[in-house]
Amino acid sequence: MTSTLPRPASPEAPPGGRSGTAPRPRRSLAARLRGQRTLLLLATPGIVYFLVFHYAALFGNVIAFKDFVPFQGVWESPWVGLDNFERMFNDPAFWQASWNTLAIAALQLVFFFPLPLALALLLHSLARGRVRALVQSVVYLPHFLSWVIVVALFQQMLGPTGMFGGDVAFVTDVLSDPDAFKPLMVAQIIWKDCGWGTIIFLAALSQVNHDLYESAALDGAGPWRRFWHVTLPALRPILILLLIMRLGDILTVGFEQILLQRDAVGPEAGEVLDTFVYFHGVLGADWGYSAAAGLFKGVVGAVLVFTANRIAHRLGEQGVYK
């Protein structure tokens, strides 16, 4: 005859956690903020800058609907509704400036946007050690030069009295040629900022697992197929993010760069929306009209960002925000 002994009671698992572990107490918002106070203090100047000069400044767009007079103030200036916008849309100079802006932006998107990626791939795959550091330093250097210096350098090379002036026929009048103005703007920004744009791509390339390249090579994949199936998928989120951000800023094509060279070719070829706002608002004191043009530019940029971000979501990408 066998007797059945009662089994010992098993200890109960603590609620809210796995067996043998105590649940982690939830910290209050104030406690989490105190724990990150050092980082918050470091971020405070940047947060204040954006709040004051970007978000609070948005309330100034109300003058686009007023006949703004600085001595009367924002609230005392007479309300004109959409008169500034109607005048703007009927102004041929505004549409000429818009066309010039879009033309330069399209050239930058086609010719400038892919070049930092190509340069980053070249540096990542070919150069190593001191050679790579030397090349990076050389291509980064123009970014730290002001546009005044950059324009002066181009004038010394391509101007009538410059290095090639009077000796090479096709560059003698390039700085004053309206047809050459837009390609010249793109060439200058490529020379100045192409190297600086490689930083983000080099950082992304450094995170790619090299075992993937070795596995692809063992499977018989050549350099192009390794780029298409390994490198490009790793860079695709960064590319889409930068493209969306560029679309939002597409109507900003370089105020200082163009302002310094606009007079050489005239407003018909050299006027863009930024200089249009500057000459009508700051110099012409037509504040409401220039604010309407600036607001139009901001609305177009916001619509492009929202649209491109939604398209990215439908294609399975994260985009700028979820």
Side-chain angles (χ1 to χ4, degrees), residues 2-317:
T2 59
S3 61
T4 303
L5 298 177
R7 296 180 180 179
S10 60
E12 294 183 0
R18 292 177 296 180
S19 176
T21 60
R24 180 178 297 179
R26 298 188 63 180
R27 302 174 63 190
S28 64
L29 177 61
R32 293 199 300 270
L33 292 177
R34 285 195 300 269
Q36 302 293 335
R37 58 181 177 272
T38 302
L39 294 177
L40 290 174
L41 286 175
L42 290 174
T44 298
I47 295 174
V48 171
Y49 166 78
F50 280 100
L51 288 177
V52 173
F53 294 102
H54 288 265
Y55 291 98
L58 291 175
F59 294 101
N61 286 321
V62 70
I63 68 174
F65 305 93
K66 289 175 170 284
D67 183 12
F68 178 68
V69 180
F71 300 103
Q72 294 181 351
V74 175
W75 304 115
E76 299 298 328
S77 296
W79 182 271
V80 296
L82 299 177
D83 289 352
N84 288 323
F85 292 92
E86 182 179 357
R87 174 186 164 198
M88 179 183 68
F89 291 137
N90 292 324
D91 188 355
F94 168 77
W95 292 112
Q96 183 64 45
S98 301
W99 166 251
N100 292 335
T101 304
L102 291 175
I104 296 176
L107 290 174
Q108 289 180 358
L109 194 63
V110 172
F111 293 101
F112 173 71
F113 185 78
L115 287 181
L117 173 60
L119 182 58
L121 291 172
L122 181 64
L123 292 173
H124 182 74
S125 61
L126 298 181
R128 290 292 184 270
R130 294 182 179 179
V131 176
R132 176 174 175 175
L134 176 62
V135 174
Q136 284 179 313
S137 300
V138 171
V139 298
Y140 291 171
L141 181 61
H143 173 77
F144 298 99
L145 301 177
S146 68
W147 276 115
V148 175
I149 297 177
V150 173
V151 172
L153 287 174
F154 273 78
Q155 288 176 345
Q156 291 299 318
M157 291 188 296
L158 303 179
T161 60
M163 184 183 302
F164 302 105
D167 296 329
V168 182
F170 69 91
V171 298
T172 301
D173 298 325
V174 66
L175 295 179
S176 58
D177 185 2
D179 295 331
F181 179 76
K182 296 177 181 63
L184 179 65
M185 297 299 100
V186 179
Q188 289 176 349
I189 197 171
I190 288 175
W191 182 81
K192 186 176 186 295
D193 287 332
C194 181
W196 185 256
T198 62
I199 293 177
I200 296 178
F201 294 116
L202 285 173
L205 287 170
S206 65
Q207 302 300 317
V208 181
N209 191 349
H210 287 275
D211 294 339
L212 298 176
Y213 290 108
E214 296 178 1
S215 300
L218 290 175
D219 290 339
W224 173 250
R225 293 186 66 85
R226 290 198 297 270
F227 167 77
W228 187 261
H229 294 288
V230 179
T231 306
L232 192 58
L235 295 177
R236 187 170 57 193
I238 299 296
L239 284 171
I240 293 177
L241 174 64
L242 293 178
L243 180 60
I244 294 175
M245 295 177 65
R246 179 64 193 125
L247 288 176
D249 209 27
I250 197 169
L251 296 183
T252 302
V253 291
F255 168 73
E256 185 179 358
Q257 174 196 11
I258 294 176
L259 181 64
L260 292 169
Q261 304 171 87
R262 168 185 176 273
D263 292 340
V265 296
E268 185 174 351
E271 190 83 285
V272 295
L273 286 177
D274 286 338
T275 57
F276 181 85
V277 171
Y278 172 75
F279 280 102
H280 283 79
V282 178
L283 298 185
D286 197 351
W287 306 103
Y289 183 60
S290 60
L295 182 58
F296 170 80
K297 171 186 165 185
V299 169
V300 170
V303 170
L304 288 175
V305 168
F306 294 146
T307 304
N309 197 74
R310 176 162 295 187
I311 294 174
H313 288 168
R314 294 192 175 183
L315 295 177
E317 300 294 336

